[in-house]
Amino acid sequence: MRRSMSAAVAVVVLTGLITAAGPAVAAGTATACAPGIEILPGLPGSTGSTAMGFGTDGTVVGDSAGLPVYWTGAEHTVHAVPLPAGFDRGSVKAISSKGLMVGTATRASDRSMVAFTHQRGSTTSEPLGSPGLEGRVFDVDVNASGRVVYAENGVAKEWVNGKVVRELPVPADAIPGSKVTALNGINKRGDIVGTVSGSYFDAENDIVVTKNFPVVWPAGGGYPPYSLQVWNGYHSSFSTVGRDIDDRGRVVGLEDYYYRNDPKLTPAVWKKPYDALPTDPGRAKGYHDLELSGSSPTTDVAVGTATNFEESWPSFFQAVYWPGKGEPLVLPFPTGTPGVPLSRAFAATDDDRVAGMIIDRETRVSKAVIWTCASKQAYAPQG
């Protein structure tokens, strides 16, 4: 079933935003774009929406009111995506150039979750594999040509036209007990980035050894996967994840550290030939932590979230725009936003758009948002 909101409330565009730091210039950015913040409409009654990714012809995918949706046209008309049978909530994560969407769905009755596909224009969505327990890692992605990647019960698979075309092996240098816990991204060429996790009991030292690290599987198979190096391994307090891979093979993500209510998020960037430790692009001024969640296909832009924790709670956070060199910058809030606004960014395009969400810190109501001509809006906070 599809629903839409009227054109009168379909989008709010705020232009002419100026920052004291001046614009960040992204390579390949369209010079004709106009800086603005577009707030996308939610489904009727929604108190929460998120923009997660971009398709062709201005299509945007994400969720609203806890349901998977996509937006179309200059006015960003919102359309509900049917959930797989028996499921209650969900979100669209990505869309191919021909309208094949992928996402995740959950059901309240048994707290199960499943990945699914939906072809734009269809009346149904199809589950990928069997449901698993909610709370496990369920990442799914699709590239422009429609190749879908998803890991189920430790087995990483790639689908084409609804059929599994290959299973992705665990790297030979993984520790005992390792499994693929998530497939996080696939680029245009078909290179895949995912996460491998393993643990075993070291009886000699009487400790449990745990390691989580990113892996890149080259397109087409026939090549061994690359185990990406991490700063800290072999301890359960550290988990290193590659969140996205661009068309040049650059991987962006983070090292997630948590021990005794002391969290730390460190941004990480790996480049081919994947033979070195990741680089840390630094922090946005005034923020202690930063994670990278997505990247543009070819312009070296990466986006994510800068965070300050209070008693292990992410009390303040703001969408990050990193041009690929120099310091990470942040993206502005809409003019006149009341209270203390928060924001996150998840995806970026070569034409300089960024998708994410803006949240009211007090009410926790969120709105899906697109920053247009983002490089001309990004700025260095005062700290």
Side-chain angles (χ1 to χ4, degrees), residues 100 117 128 142-143 145-149 157-166 186:
L100 179 65
T117 62
L128 282 175
V142 62
N143 70 358
S145 64
R147 305 185 81 89
V148 177
V149 292
K157 301 177 182 179
E158 181 179 2
W159 279 263
V160 176
N161 296 325
K163 296 181 179 179
V164 177
V165 294
R166 65 167 171 158
I186 179 171

Side-chain angles (χ1 to χ4, degrees), residues 63-75:
D63 57 77
S64 180
L67 300 173
V69 300
Y70 64 98
W71 293 267
T72 57
E75 296 172 341

